[in-house]
């Protein structure tokens, strides 16, 4: 690992922050924190922390000796000075005299001594930073160092690699006791340049930012060099089926077995979203004959527990010719995983601490021989974080096994970390949105109604796939939604295009739960005279396309086994035909009955089917030119034409999206038609 320190960059940062009134020490602290935080082999997703001891002004303008230490919720890779809250040094040092300090008291004490009460909580490792005398202290969960520190003979290895340059701290959970122990190890030999924390990570320190940072790089490099020597063959590959099922085929099965019924609401499921990885390193790892031994010890550093749980779910290699067999075996594995998690909680919470409530027992990582690994989470973002950490774990354990044997923490230590209130607090307690964990695919997704649906469903917590005939428009629409939305080309007239798009959705998110079949176009002709070709073409788009989309979705929903919701955009034409609009209204009427047929045939599978019959929405079907022409023909202003309904209110794409959302959330509603037309008595139902 190379040092990325550059004098010019460092000085540029000092100059830039000086303009904001930030001192040199904090500016350089930001600079090297980012250097460390941008390398996933050192720090991932909020892990690690850094500090500087400096003089800052308090709110009354007086100089105060303070520790500026990474705040909770900040990522080192893009940290700002605000992410390094200042805590008064003198009171922090006084704590050293105590014998005991509870986590809650520690947090309260640290908060009480913040210079700015609006700051985020200082890191749970603040006291460790404070008790070391050095000006700059850096802490990472380096992959290479963990490959060494997660060995039964880690002490010997560290002596071999570092001699007396690094102190060795036994595993203690982060907090007051660890801070005291680390200080004692340092004081026993103040010549050390850093500390290796067994089964946790590494600290380095120095008189200035560069020294602390470059010591980190040097010590990690030494670990890397050791890992490159005296290696043994790591993983012997287990035999695999001749033809392996692909991610699109197994994603929905895995998503299904990793879902649980929501006890609070009949018909509701707690689902997870998936994120797939298959680097050569991942494949070598999941294909190993001893996977069950080396992969199920526990996390490589305790901080990862909240993201990945302690152990992954291991599934069999999926034979493409026997998906049913894979599903059955995967279900058994998942049931065993959940049962083992309940037992783990019971075993380790023997004191029945009422403050500890069992977390959901679902896995957050699945390993599939022959295929790769899946990160799982309540959102695509969380799934990707779990997958990032799982990939990092693969590297750590691979290197550990190459020079020895990977050994994780004891189960009791893992439990203490997983159920540590301060760790749980990192995940936040914000209420989940109603569609969290669900995936929605929307055809015609780049048009007015599609885009309104995409936004509303995304705002309600769903992961969104925007499908549109125009692939570029779909990508743009997805980008506009921001975050994790996916944009895909999909020609609903072409069955192979539909199945390719749904395969992509299944491979990307792990499946689909809600489909808004929205693509369509109006065509006209007096029914007695219209060319049959016009009628057939309209049936292709306004009926058969809905059928093909629904079929592709149902296939995935059945593989998941967690129900689902089909939503069809049928026009008021389905109920109240307009003159000369037969070619449009007839297939829409058939689509209305299509939704009822799906409701009937798949109700027992928990799949609901509903339709919205909307009228007079500004969209690709009703362009500004058409509005101008029609209002003129009726002698109305455009406003009066658009709001020409019982309520006298113009109906918008957002109103249609609201109706679809309502149907998606109403778990006891199927075969429903919701009218969104401001009142059109001839188009009412029954
Ligand atoms: Zn740490």
């Amino acid at each position: 690992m190379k040092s990325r320190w550059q004098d010019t960059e460092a000085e540029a940062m000092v100059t830039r922050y000086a303009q904001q009134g930030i001192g040199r020490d904090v500016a350089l602290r930001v600079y090297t924190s980012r250097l460390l935080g941008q390398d996933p082999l050192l720090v991932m997703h909020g892990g690690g922390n850094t500090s500087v001891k400096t003089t800052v002004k308090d709110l009354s303008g007086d100089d105060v000796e303070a520790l500026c230490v990474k705040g909770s919720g900040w990522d080192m890779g893009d940290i700002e000075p605000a992410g390094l809250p200042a805590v008064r040094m003198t009171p922090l040092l006084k704590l050293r005299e105590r014998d005991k300090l509870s986590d809650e008291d520690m947090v309260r004490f640290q908060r009480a001594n913040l210079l700015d009460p609006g700051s985020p909580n200082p890191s749970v490792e603040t006291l460790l930073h404070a008790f070391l005398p050095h000006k700059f202290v850096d802490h990472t969960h380096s992959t290479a160092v963990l490959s060494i520190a997660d060995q039964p003979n880690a002490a010997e290895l560290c002596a071999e690699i570092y001699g007396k340059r690094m102190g060795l701290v036994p595993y203690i959970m982060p907090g007051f006791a660890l801070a005291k122990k680390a200080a004692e190890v340092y004081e026993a030999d103040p010549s050390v340049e850093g500390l290796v924390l067994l089964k946790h990570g590494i600290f380095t320190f120095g008189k200035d930012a560069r020294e602390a940072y470059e010591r980190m790089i040097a010590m990690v490099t030494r670990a890397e060099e050791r890992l490159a020597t005296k290696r043994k063959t790591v993983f012997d590959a287990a035999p695999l089926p001749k033809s392996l099922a692909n991610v699109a085929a197994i994603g929905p099965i895995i998503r299904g077995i990793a879902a649980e019924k929501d006890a609070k609401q009949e018909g509701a499921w707690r689902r997870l979203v998936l994120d797939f990885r298959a680097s050569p390193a991942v494949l070598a790892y999941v294909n190993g004959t001893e996977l069950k031994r080396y992969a199920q010890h526990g996390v490589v550093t305790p901080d990862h527990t909240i993201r990945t749980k302690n152990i992954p779910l291991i599934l069999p290699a999926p034979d493409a010719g026997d998906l049913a067999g894979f599903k059955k075996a995967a279900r058994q594995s998942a049931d065993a995983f959940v049962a083992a998690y309940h037992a783990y909680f019971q075993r380790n919470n023997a004191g029945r601490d009422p403050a500890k409530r069992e977390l959901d027992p679902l896995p957050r990582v699945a390993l599939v021989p022959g295929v790769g690994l899946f990160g799982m989470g309540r959102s695509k973002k969380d799934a990707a974080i779990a997958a990032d950490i799982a990939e990092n774990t693969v590297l750590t354990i691979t290197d550990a096994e190459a020079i020895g044997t990977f050994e994780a923490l004891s189960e009791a230590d893992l439990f203490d970390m997983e159920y540590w209130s301060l760790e749980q607090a990192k995940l936040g307690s914000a209420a989940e949105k109603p569609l969290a964990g669900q995936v929605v695919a929307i055809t015609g997704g780049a048009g007015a109604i599609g885009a309104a649906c995409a936004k509303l469903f995304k705002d309600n917590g769903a992961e969104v796939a925007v499908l549109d005939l125009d692939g570029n428009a779909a990508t743009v629409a997805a980008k506009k939604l921001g975050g994790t939305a996916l944009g895909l080309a999909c020609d609903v007239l072409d069955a192979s295009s539909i199945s390719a798009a749904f395969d992509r959705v299944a491979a990307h998110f792990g499946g689909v739960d809600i489909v808004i079949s929205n693509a369509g176009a109006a065509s006209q002709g007096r029914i007695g005279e219209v060319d049959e070709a016009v009628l057939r073409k309209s049936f292709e788009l306004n009926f058969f396309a809905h059928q093909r989309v629904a079929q592709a979705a149902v296939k995935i929903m059945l593989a998941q086994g967690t129900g689902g919701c089909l939503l069809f955009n049928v026009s008021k034409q389905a109920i109240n035909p307009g003159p000369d609009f037969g070619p449009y209204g007839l297939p829409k009427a058939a689509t209305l009955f299509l939704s009822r047929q799906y409701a009937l045939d798949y109700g027992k599978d928990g799949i609901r089917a509903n339709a919205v019959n909307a009228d007079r929405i500004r969209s690709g079907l009703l362009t500004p030119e058409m509005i101008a022409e029609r209002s003129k023909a009726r002698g109305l202003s455009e406003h009066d034409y658009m709001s020409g309904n019982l309520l006298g209110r113009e109906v918008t794409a957002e109103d249609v999206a609201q109706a679809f959302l309502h149907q998606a959330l109403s778990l006891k509603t199927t075969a429903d038609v919701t009218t969104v037309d401001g009142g059109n008595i001839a188009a009412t139902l029954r």
Side-chain angles (χ1 to χ4, degrees):
M1 182 167 281
K2 291 226 165 12
S3 166
R4 289 167 58 219
W5 176 281
Q6 285 188 12
D7 286 334
T8 46
E9 277 187 22
E11 288 308 321
M13 201 164 272
V14 169
T15 310
R16 183 149 65 81
Y17 280 119
Q19 288 160 2
Q20 300 172 23
I22 308 282
R24 181 179 181 85
D25 287 343
V26 171
L28 291 174
R29 182 65 285 173
V30 168
Y31 175 58
T32 56
S33 298
R34 286 188 192 171
L35 292 183
L36 295 169
Q38 285 159 6
D39 189 339
L41 293 177
L42 293 173
V43 162
M44 301 187 76
H45 299 297
N49 41 62
T50 53
S51 68
V52 61
K53 298 176 184 78
T54 186
T55 308
V56 289
K57 291 210 184 302
D58 68 10
L59 293 178
S60 41
D62 295 334
D63 283 343
V64 179
E65 290 302 310
L67 178 78
C68 296
V69 61
K70 200 197 88 164
S72 178
W74 281 82
D75 210 289
M76 278 166 61
D78 56 7
I79 200 160
E80 293 286 343
L84 293 160
V87 197
R88 291 173 196 276
M89 257 319 268
T90 315
L92 283 181
L93 288 177
K94 267 202 190 144
L95 285 177
R96 181 85 194 271
E97 295 153 17
R98 298 203 190 181
D99 291 328
K100 269 202 169 86
L101 181 66
S102 75
D103 295 329
E104 288 70 23
D105 286 346
M106 180 179 80
V107 171
R108 215 192 331 264
F109 192 90
Q110 288 172 184
R111 272 216 75 81
N113 287 288
L114 283 169
L115 265 72
D116 179 348
S119 296
N121 273 341
S123 159
V124 295
E125 283 162 333
T126 293
L127 293 178
L128 204 163
H129 287 261
F131 293 169
L132 293 167
H134 309 79
K135 189 168 177 70
F136 283 81
V137 177
D138 295 12
H139 170 45
T140 73
H141 299 152
S142 151
T143 304
V145 171
L146 286 173
S147 295
I148 304 288
D150 290 349
Q151 298 272 347
N153 62 336
E156 265 166 61
L157 282 168
C158 284
E160 176 200 328
I161 297 166
Y162 298 118
K164 286 184 176 304
R165 292 178 67 187
M166 295 291 279
L168 201 66
V169 182
Y171 179 79
I172 299 174
M173 200 166 106
F176 181 66
L178 175 62
K180 274 188 89 157
K181 185 72 190 172
E184 284 164 20
V185 171
Y186 162 73
E187 283 155 7
D189 180 3
S191 72
V192 295
E193 296 161 54
L195 302 169
V196 171
L197 275 58
L198 290 181
K199 294 178 180 163
H200 176 160
I202 174 173
F203 278 78
T204 54
F205 26 73
K207 60 184 180 306
D208 57 38
R210 181 169 187 171
E211 185 175 61
Y213 166 73
E214 291 196 332
R215 280 178 172 171
M216 177 65 72
I217 302 301
M219 297 307 165
V220 169
T221 304
R222 280 183 164 248
E224 287 175 339
E225 284 165 0
R226 175 61 184 86
L227 293 169
T229 58
K230 298 187 226 168
R231 284 175 84 91
K232 58 179 200 263
T233 317
V234 192
F235 306 126
D236 291 322
L240 293 169
K242 268 201 200 74
S243 172
L244 288 158
N246 63 23
V247 184
I250 66 169
I253 293 173
I254 294 173
R255 216 170 150 244
I257 58 156
E260 60 173 1
K261 282 194 168 133
D262 186 339
K264 278 179 259 155
Q265 203 184 0
E266 193 183 0
W269 289 83
R270 263 182 72 84
R271 301 167 168 99
L272 300 176
V273 180
L274 306 189
D275 192 76
F276 176 67
R277 307 292 167 91
S279 67
V282 166
L283 285 170
Y285 183 89
V286 298
N287 292 348
T289 46
E290 290 185 72
L291 180 65
K292 286 192 171 144
R293 173 184 64 79
Y294 55 74
Q296 288 183 308
H297 263 281
V299 287
V300 298
T301 183
D303 202 34
H304 290 177
T305 301
I306 50 166
R307 297 296 192 175
T308 62
K309 290 215 184 284
N310 293 325
I311 57 167
L313 170 67
I314 297 180
L315 297 174
D319 188 333
D322 184 19
L323 278 175
F326 173 74
K327 189 172 182 175
K328 196 171 161 212
R331 162 63 60 200
Q332 283 167 357
S333 303
D335 288 348
F337 184 96
V338 168
Y341 190 85
H342 290 315
Y344 152 83
F345 181 80
Q346 292 302 327
R347 219 170 27 246
N348 290 282
N349 194 31
R352 304 281 182 271
D353 178 352
K356 288 184 168 57
R357 272 192 27 242
E358 188 176 344
L359 300 169
D360 88 58
L362 306 175
R364 290 299 185 272
V365 176
L367 306 179
V368 189
V371 182
L373 72 77
F374 292 88
M376 302 151 111
R378 287 285 280 164
S379 64
K380 179 69 178 174
K381 188 175 161 227
D382 283 352
I385 290 174
D388 283 349
I389 290 174
E391 269 200 286
N392 193 275
T393 300
V394 164
L395 298 180
T396 307
I397 296 179
T398 301
D399 279 349
E401 288 281 313
I403 64 152
T405 311
F406 169 66
E407 186 188 70
L409 291 172
S410 72
E411 184 180 278
D413 284 330
L414 289 169
F415 179 82
D416 285 346
M417 199 65 195
E418 186 175 1
Y419 283 88
W420 188 26
S421 56
L422 302 191
E423 200 65 6
Q424 292 299 325
K426 286 186 189 171
L427 291 176
S429 54
E432 282 197 317
K433 292 180 174 168
L435 293 175
Q438 299 207 49
V439 179
V440 59
I442 305 164
T443 69
I449 291 175
C453 290
K455 180 164 188 321
L456 186 64
F457 277 66
K458 170 113 192 147
D459 289 348
N460 279 273
E463 298 295 340
V464 178
V466 175
L467 276 45
D468 202 278
L469 179 61
D470 181 344
N472 284 332
T475 309
V476 170
K479 265 219 182 94
K480 221 161 134 191
L481 289 173
T484 52
L486 179 70
L488 293 173
C490 177
D491 178 358
V492 293
L493 294 174
D494 176 359
S496 65
S497 173
I498 293 173
S499 90
F502 275 84
D503 275 358
R504 286 278 306 280
V505 174
H508 187 76
F509 292 118
V512 71
D513 307 294
I514 302 164
V515 167
I516 304 178
S517 190
N518 167 62
S523 44
Q524 300 185 45
R526 213 168 158 203
I527 199 67
E529 295 142 63
V530 73
D531 191 335
E532 189 176 312
V534 171
L535 193 57
R536 282 187 185 277
K537 205 176 149 208
S538 183
F539 261 89
E540 275 299 318
L541 178 59
N542 294 311
F543 172 74
F544 282 106
H546 289 289
Q547 158 65 355
R548 289 186 205 104
V549 165
Q551 239 175 11
V554 161
K555 190 178 154 201
I556 294 174
M557 289 170 183
L558 290 176
Q560 292 170 160
T562 53
C565 185
L566 303 171
L567 299 169
F568 298 90
N569 189 357
V570 305
S571 163
K572 72 105 199 173
Q573 295 285 340
I575 315 291
N576 171 20
D580 299 340
F581 268 99
Y584 183 52
L586 289 165
K588 284 287 191 183
T591 299
L592 174 59
F593 271 75
L594 182 73
S595 85
R596 294 178 174 183
Q597 196 67 47
Y598 271 98
L600 177 63
D601 287 354
Y602 293 95
K604 64 178 182 299
D605 299 296
I607 298 172
R608 299 177 295 115
N610 297 302
V612 167
N613 64 326
D615 191 23
R616 220 168 278 188
I617 318 285
R618 292 178 198 269
S619 69
L621 269 70
L622 184 59
T623 61
E625 296 77 41
M626 290 158 77
I627 293 169
E629 190 188 305
R630 288 181 196 179
S631 47
K632 201 172 154 203
R634 288 169 173 78
L636 295 169
S637 70
E638 284 189 20
H639 172 267
D640 286 348
Y641 170 68
M642 289 306 290
S643 54
N645 53 47
L646 299 178
L647 294 170
R649 297 174 191 158
E650 179 176 339
V651 183
T652 66
E654 286 72 24
D655 297 323
V656 178
Q658 278 293 351
F660 279 131
L661 178 67
H662 170 77
Q663 290 176 328
L665 292 173
S666 302
L667 297 177
K668 314 266 169 90
T669 295
T670 191
D672 172 56
V673 187
T674 294
T675 301
V676 187
D677 58 9
N680 175 336
I681 210 69
T684 49
L685 287 127
R686 285 187 277 205

